[in-house]
Amino acid sequence: MARGINIGDEVAITATVRRRVTEDRVSVSIPSYGFPHSIVDRASKVKKGQPIELTGHVTHIDGEWVTVNLGVPVTVNIDTLRLVTAYKPPTRKAPLVDKAT
């Protein structure tokens, strides 16, 4: 498929912190995504301009554009993604059909 990234893979996007919206929410700027995005960030105390890594699963691939589920679908350019874990379909231990008797 497209540069080693397929549907179901877990990918990471490096976003930049824009500002802290509330005590537990941060606004981030995602490369090649034209809209602001906000995430819940209770644990860390990131500051403006710091990079933060967002991970999600690929749900759709359309040429150079990939849709990643980060809680909400986000469509970004494939060059901004980093593969974390490739999808491995579940294996079947028992046969799907019973043996003929």
Side-chain angles (χ1 to χ4, degrees):
M1 206 91 179
R3 294 197 188 132
I5 294 178
N6 296 312
I7 293 176
D9 291 348
E10 185 178 7
V11 293
I13 302 172
T14 303
T16 306
V17 176
R18 295 177 66 218
R19 65 187 174 100
R20 185 161 288 279
V21 178
T22 62
E23 179 93 11
D24 62 342
R25 250 181 143 53
V26 175
S27 176
V28 295
S29 174
I30 300 173
S32 77
Y33 183 65
F35 305 99
H37 185 72
S38 120
I39 60 169
V40 174
D41 183 45
R42 294 185 182 119
S44 67
K45 298 295 177 193
V46 292
K47 302 286 184 196
K48 180 179 179 180
Q50 285 184 328
I52 191 167
E53 192 169 84
L54 308 174
T55 58
H57 293 279
V58 175
T59 58
H60 182 76
I61 298 176
D62 186 20
E64 290 292 314
W65 297 96
V66 177
T67 303
V68 180
N69 187 3
L70 299 174
V72 295
V74 174
T75 302
V76 295
N77 196 316
I78 197 165
D79 296 332
T80 63
L81 300 176
R82 181 177 59 83
L83 182 65
V84 175
T85 307
Y87 174 73
K88 181 179 179 278
T91 56
R92 192 176 292 279
K93 294 188 186 212
L96 189 59
V97 180
D98 292 335
K99 289 183 181 179
T101 55

